[in-house]
C-alpha cells in the first residue's frame, strides 16, 4: 500500500507494526492509544507531520529530515531524540509532557 496518511485514534494498540509504513507516508496521527514506543521514523523520507496526543509514548525516535510539524501533547514523554537533522521543521508543539530538557 502507498498510504499518504495514517490516523490511529482511540484503540488498545500498543505497538505499530513497521509494515504499515510506506515510503509515501506524509502524515502520522496517533491519539488515545496505549502506544509507548514508536519505531525509528528516520527512513520515512516524505513524512511531514507527526502528531501524537494522549498516549503513553515515552521517547521520540529518530525523525526524518523532511518533518515540518511535530506535535506531542499529553504523552508520558521523558526523552526526545536530537532534532538537529530536522532541517525542514517549521513548528514544534509540546504540551503537558514530562520532559526535563530539549535536545
Amino acid at each position: 500500500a502507498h498510504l499518504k496518511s495514517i490516523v490511529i485514534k482511540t484503540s488498545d494498540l500498543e505497538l505499530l507494526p513497521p509494515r504499515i509504513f510506506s515510503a509515501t507516508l506524509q502524515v502520522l496521527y496517533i491519539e488515545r492509544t496505549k502506544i509507548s514506543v514508536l519505531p525509528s521514523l528516520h527512513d520515512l523520507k516524505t513524512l511531514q507531520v507527526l502528531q501524537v496526543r494522549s498516549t503513553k509514548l515515552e521517547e521520540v525516535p529518530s525523525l526524518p529530515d523532511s518533518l515540518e510539524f511535530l506535535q506531542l501533547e499529553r504523552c508520558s514523554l521523558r526523552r526526545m531524540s536530537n532534532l538537529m537533522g530536522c532541517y525542514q521543521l517549521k513548528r514544534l508543539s509540546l504540551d503537558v509532557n514530562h520532559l526535563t530538557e530539549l535536545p
Side-chain angles (χ1 to χ4, degrees):
H2 296 288
L3 298 173
K4 290 191 176 196
S5 179
I6 296 176
V7 176
I8 301 170
K9 287 179 78 170
T10 315
S11 81
D12 286 336
L13 192 65
E14 293 183 16
L15 291 173
L16 287 177
R19 69 182 181 277
I20 70 167
F21 299 123
S22 71
T24 57
L25 186 66
Q26 294 176 355
V27 176
L28 178 56
Y29 181 86
I30 302 168
E31 182 176 2
R32 291 189 306 271
T33 68
K34 294 181 180 180
I35 293 172
S36 61
V37 176
L38 288 176
S40 174
L41 303 174
H42 183 71
D43 292 333
L44 299 177
K45 302 298 183 195
T46 59
L47 186 66
Q48 296 175 351
V49 176
L50 174 59
Q51 291 179 277
V52 182
R53 302 177 68 202
S54 301
T55 69
K56 295 183 177 186
L57 185 67
E58 295 178 1
E59 184 174 354
V60 176
S62 296
L63 299 169
D65 300 343
S66 57
L67 197 67
E68 294 181 8
F69 177 49
L70 175 59
Q71 179 181 32
L72 303 165
E73 292 185 359
R74 294 181 303 281
C75 298
S76 298
L77 195 61
R78 298 201 181 278
R79 291 188 312 238
M80 285 184 66
S81 61
N82 192 335
L83 297 175
M84 294 301 291
C86 297
Y87 299 113
Q88 304 298 320
L89 193 63
K90 296 176 181 161
R91 184 168 177 211
L92 174 62
S93 176
L94 303 171
D95 186 26
V96 191
N97 290 293
H98 301 283
L99 284 174
T100 55
E101 63 182 73
L102 288 174

